[in-house]
Amino acid sequence: QVQLQESGPRLVKPSETLSLTCAVSGVSITTYYWSWIRQTPGKGLEWIGYIHYNGNSNYNPSLKSRVTISVDTSKNQFSLNLNAVTAADTAVYYCARYNWNDVGVGDFDYWGPGTLGTVSS
Amino acid sequence: QSALTQPPSASGSPGQSVTISCTGTSSDVGAYDYVSWFQHHPGKAPKLIIYELFRRSSGVPDRFSASKSGNTASLTVSGLQIEDEADYFCCSYAGNNNFVFGTGTKVTVL
């Protein structure tokens, strides 16, 4: 049974870096792509990006300059770093499996329950 | 790109049907048959119920169906049940390895 669980600091100061981790269980992290998605009060759900353990990745152009997603195969988890945050980055952050075999377009087929990341001084 | 537009709410009595629209543009919903739908009970993980426009995920009852016409995709829940009360949102491929999500619809079972 595939399960994902987000974790990380809930409160970050403006201009600092929001760092979140997604622990994956029930499947090896090397066999799929993995993604971050967020939900803000103002813009709704927004795809942030995805990564494969081999380094293949892609990011939302609107966030690309501030986002890094990485994979830790030894811990079967992946992470999100969003730097230079502002109040507009306050959101519920979800991690999800991006089920894609490099052909066509994949699907976000398993999600975590989400974690609230708040940007405030 | 802009979020896909969904009605904020929809409702129906048990046994009735409810249809939720998801309106995009010719650059996302209208351009690709890669629209998916998710059911989200607050506080829990969102669940993929429809992918590739109309395909049901494993274990999803056939009361859930979906289609597309032009730039608008639709999800229909037939024979509403109490457990169908949840938030529903759509997602479309938008080209160039990019995705756009819907604004979400809260379905209430009266």
Side-chain angles (χ1 to χ4, degrees):
Chain A
Q1 181 183 4
V2 178
Q3 290 188 316
L4 293 83
Q5 180 66 56
E6 304 89 350
S7 64
R10 303 295 184 91
L11 182 63
V12 181
K13 290 182 168 56
S15 80
E16 294 187 346
T17 296
L18 174 69
S19 297
L20 298 173
T21 296
C22 180
V24 178
S25 59
V27 65
S28 170
I29 203 164
T30 62
T31 52
Y32 290 92
Y33 283 79
W34 303 93
S35 186
W36 286 96
I37 295 157
R38 70 181 184 178
Q39 184 169 28
T40 63
K43 295 182 67 176
L45 284 155
E46 182 177 34
W47 171 70
I48 298 171
Y50 63 65
I51 192 168
H52 192 266
Y53 89 101
N54 65 8
N56 188 18
S57 62
N58 195 48
Y59 300 116
N60 186 323
S62 68
L63 296 168
K64 186 174 183 177
S65 63
R66 299 193 292 128
V67 171
T68 303
I69 300 176
S70 58
V71 174
D72 185 340
T73 56
S74 67
K75 296 181 179 178
N76 216 50
Q77 64 185 32
F78 64 107
S79 298
L80 168 71
N81 277 351
L82 177 65
N83 58 35
V85 296
T86 69
D89 294 310
T90 293
V92 175
Y93 286 81
Y94 297 95
C95 58
R97 187 175 81 173
Y98 179 52
N99 191 353
W100 183 42
N101 60 3
D102 293 323
V103 176
V105 175
D107 303 290
F108 303 104
D109 61 351
Y110 287 95
W111 295 54
T115 189
L116 176 62
T118 301
V119 179
S120 175
S121 55
Chain B
Q1 66 275 17
S2 299
L4 307 175
T5 301
Q6 296 181 234
S9 63
S11 62
S13 300
Q16 291 186 331
S17 295
V18 64
T19 296
I20 303 165
S21 60
C22 168
T23 301
T25 70
S26 57
S27 297
D28 39 61
V29 175
Y32 305 98
D33 286 340
Y34 292 108
V35 176
S36 50
W37 288 90
F38 300 85
Q39 179 188 63
H40 185 205
H41 290 101
K44 296 193 174 182
K47 175 185 176 183
L48 176 67
I49 55 174
I50 298 286
Y51 65 99
E52 291 180 9
L53 199 59
F54 60 86
R55 303 182 191 283
R56 280 186 298 276
S57 293
S58 176
V60 174
D62 59 7
R63 302 185 294 103
F64 292 86
S65 62
S67 61
K68 186 184 85 168
S69 177
N71 297 336
T72 298
S74 299
L75 172 72
T76 297
V77 186
S78 306
L80 268 174
Q81 299 185 4
I82 296 295
E83 58 264 33
D84 298 333
E85 184 162 297
D87 297 324
Y88 292 82
F89 58 89
C90 57
C91 174
S92 174
Y93 182 63
N96 297 317
N97 292 312
N98 204 359
F99 299 87
V100 62
F101 285 88
T103 50
T105 299
K106 180 178 178 59
V107 170
T108 301
V109 181
L110 302 171

